[in-house]
Amino acid sequence: MRPKTLNFEQLVKENKQELLRNEKEVMQLEMRLEAKQAAMVEKKRNKV
């Protein structure tokens, strides 16, 4: 059975939703990276 074809507006809507999800995931990854970097800096400061 062939999948239902989507019209242009539906494709645009799906792509926007996917981009928003990806943007949220990237922001979460950036926040985790910043937290790890801050922890490393704090650890170095405490060693000195």
Side-chain angles (χ1 to χ4, degrees):
M1 186 172 167
R2 289 178 52 179
K4 181 184 172 202
T5 57
L6 300 175
N7 66 28
F8 181 76
E9 290 80 16
Q10 289 172 316
L11 288 171
V12 169
K13 183 179 178 182
E14 285 186 11
N15 285 340
K16 281 184 179 180
Q17 290 172 346
E18 186 176 348
L19 286 171
L20 288 173
R21 280 194 303 272
N22 289 344
E23 185 176 348
K24 287 179 185 176
E25 289 179 27
V26 168
M27 286 174 46
Q28 289 173 346
L29 288 170
E30 288 174 340
M31 290 173 59
R32 287 173 45 198
L33 178 60
E34 288 176 14
K36 284 186 178 187
Q37 289 174 333
M40 287 174 50
V41 168
E42 189 65 30
K43 187 176 179 181
K44 281 188 175 184
R45 284 183 185 161
N46 290 338
K47 278 188 174 183
V48 175

